[in-house]
Amino acid sequence: SQTIHQWPATLVQPVGSPLSLECTVEGTSNPNLYWYRQAAGRGLQLLFYSVGIGQISSEVPQNLSASRPQDRQFILSSKKLLLSDSGFYLCAWSVGGVMNGYTFGSGTRLTVV
Amino acid sequence: QKEVEQNSGPLSVPEGAIASLNCTYSDRVSQSFFWYRQYSGKSPELIMSIYSNGDKEDGRFTAQLNKASQYVSLLIRDSQPSDSATYLCASYTGGGNKLTFGTGTQLKVEL
């Protein structure tokens, strides 16, 4: 079966510290992978998506970057966190095209203090 | 400019009633539509997808699509307290690799 793993579940980081969030998918090949952020009480904001290894599309210019070093691995990073980076970070995947929708991971709740 | 619009709510319905959630979209080339349910503090879960005009039923859930009027709706029959959540509407326009989400409608089912 296809599963998506996202960790950690919660994270508290000081302002100015680096960030690395990892997402891995099992049971499928060549998925489209996505990073979303949901600020408190807000909608989903697409940050990055990837259709293949090394292929990253950035939706919002900001303090974050993404990488896809392997087919089923997607990493979200920051060199220096800002208070405004706080939020609920969600990884999602789709296979066979987005027309079938996404499946989301369980998310990481990041609090920057 | 937002492409998918939802009333943020909260929408309150009594237990056992029909809950009606609505969504409008601006891009006429939108092809596919999805309803996600998100419980507080959890990630969204896909509950319905619809691609053609008309109704699609799955258990207590019915999705309705009207492309001429550019709206999508989700009906929940026999609403239960466990249906209390935020419901996100999303569309896929084709030619890209992403969904566009509305900001969600909060549903509260009261005893």
Side-chain angles (χ1 to χ4, degrees), chain B residues 71-91:
Chain B
Y71 82 79
V72 191
S73 61
L74 179 69
L75 302 179
I76 306 174
R77 290 182 298 281
D78 188 24
S79 295
Q80 302 297 310
S82 58
D83 295 324
S84 298
T86 296
Y87 289 80
L88 301 168
C89 175
S91 71

Side-chain angles (χ1 to χ4, degrees), chain A residues 97-103, chain B residues 23 31-37 45-59 61-67 71-75 87-92 99 101:
Chain A
V98 182
M99 66 285 290
N100 297 317
Y102 300 156
T103 298
Chain B
C23 168
Q31 300 177 359
S32 311
F33 301 88
F34 307 89
W35 284 100
Y36 285 81
R37 178 177 62 200
E45 172 193 14
L46 180 62
I47 55 172
M48 289 288 285
S49 57
I50 187 165
Y51 307 96
S52 305
N53 276 329
D55 296 359
K56 179 182 178 181
E57 187 174 318
D58 183 0
F61 298 98
T62 299
Q64 299 176 319
L65 174 59
N66 184 322
K67 289 190 175 181
Y71 82 79
V72 191
S73 61
L74 179 69
L75 302 179
Y87 289 80
L88 301 168
C89 175
S91 71
Y92 171 64
L99 301 182
F101 285 87

